[in-house]
């Protein structure tokens, strides 16, 4: 099956949600639906002979392994570098541009995570093979946004007219930034934002999202969570972005999902999402609630979405 025929993602880099359109997103979701139904035996011909470098300058378990699984489930191969600052020539002072140009000779694409916002753009400018952003500092996490939106759409049947609640570190959480950008491509979305005062959405970014038509409502306590939400998107406070660990300790578990909160403020049709890792911000007693999808559907969708994206870019 040629699932790549109508794609405009072919051979493109994907470092920001900014390149997406509702049409392209729908194409990615349709491809993910097809892959979901395919046997792995069949899908494993799509990237046959292709090699993808995974270059992760920041710790990762899910994103790294889901990309590795996605490439391998499509029949491709991976060159895997976790922590290249310790294990590659970067330790000797090699520039990112040189590293990228070397990998360009070995591989068909690079999936990269970096601790500094903006580095992905430098990586793209250095090479002519596709580069995929697996998280850049406090910037974006555009593949996570796709899998989050796919998870929402599968449940709510639409990405328009939604009511969502996004909680946690809105200042530093790159998954939040990409998800809000993605939701701003659709109409009539209302998002309630709940964070400690110090971790609110950056004002310029917030007005940009509002300008695109998303109705953003900042709330300051869990008691203000609306009863009508389609989804709750909980996130952890991003410890690694704090220079003062005491400040982190003060803010880390200000908002926690408990069975009581879900009982009081949840409704039957909503889903509870989290990009993971959670660090005390969702009580484990909520894990078996049928609305909790963070350890099940959301993770599984990550594999299908990354398989879809890779097959559209490289297939
Ligand atoms: C997120 C990330 O790295 O930004 N994790 C992930 O990729 N699933 C969220 C986080 O670390 O809090």
């Amino acid at each position: 099956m040629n699932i790549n025929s109508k794609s405009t993602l072919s051979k493109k880099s994907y470092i920001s949600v900014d390149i997406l359109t509702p049409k392209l997103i729908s194409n990615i979701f349709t491809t993910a639906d097809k892959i979901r139904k395919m046997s792995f035996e069949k899908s494993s011909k799509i990237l046959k002979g292709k090699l993808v470098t995974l270059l992760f300058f920041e710790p990762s378990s899910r994103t790294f392994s889901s990309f590795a699984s996605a490439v391998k489930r499509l029949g491709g191969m991976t060159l895997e570098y976790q922590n290249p600052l310790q294990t590659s020539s970067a330790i000797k002072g090699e520039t990112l541009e040189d590293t990228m140009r070397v990998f360009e000779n070995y591989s068909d694409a690079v999936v990269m995570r970096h601790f500094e916002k903006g580095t992905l753009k430098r990586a793209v400018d250095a090479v002519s093979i596709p580069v995929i952003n697996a998280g850049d500092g406090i910037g974006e996490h555009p593949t996570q946004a796709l899998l989050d939106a796919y998870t929402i759409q599968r449940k709510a049947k639409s990405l328009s007219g939604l009511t969502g609640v996004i909680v946690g570190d809105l200042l530093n959480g790159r998954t939040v930034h990409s998800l809000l950008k993605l939701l701003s491509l659709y109409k009539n979305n209302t998002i309630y934002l709940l964070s400690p005062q110090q971790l609110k959405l950056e004002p310029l970014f917030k007005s940009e999202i509002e300008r695109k038509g998303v109705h953003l409502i900042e709330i300051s306590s869990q008691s203000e969570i609306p009863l009508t939400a389609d989804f709750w998107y909980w996130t952890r406070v991003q410890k690694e972005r704090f220079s003062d660990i005491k400040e982190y300790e003060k803010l880390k578990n200000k908002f926690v999902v408990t069975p009581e909160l879900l009982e009081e403020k949840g409704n039957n049709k909503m889903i509870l999402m989290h990009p993971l890792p959670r660090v005390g911000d969702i009580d484990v007693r909520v894990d078996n609630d049928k609305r909790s999808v963070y350890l099940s559907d959301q993770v599984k969708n990550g594999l299908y979405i990354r398989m879809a994206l890779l097959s559209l870019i490289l297939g």
Side-chain angles (χ1 to χ4, degrees), residues 132-186:
I132 299 175
N133 182 357
D136 65 327
I138 64 166
E140 281 209 48
H141 196 339
T143 62
Q144 178 75 36
L146 279 172
L147 78 90
D148 291 336
Y150 184 59
T151 305
I152 295 168
Q153 170 157 310
R154 280 178 59 82
K155 174 72 184 176
K157 304 287 172 243
S158 174
L159 290 175
S160 304
L162 296 168
T163 300
V165 180
I166 302 186
V167 184
D169 192 341
L170 312 183
L171 179 65
N172 302 305
R174 55 194 173 202
T175 67
V176 171
H177 303 156
S178 288
L179 181 59
L180 282 171
K181 278 188 174 191
L182 194 153
L183 292 172
S184 76
L185 298 172
Y186 298 85

Side-chain angles (χ1 to χ4, degrees), residues 62-63 113 141 144 174-175 236 238 275-277:
R62 260 156 309 276
T63 307
R113 169 171 286 193
H141 196 339
Q144 178 75 36
R174 55 194 173 202
T175 67
R236 73 181 169 101
Q238 306 276 302
L276 301 178

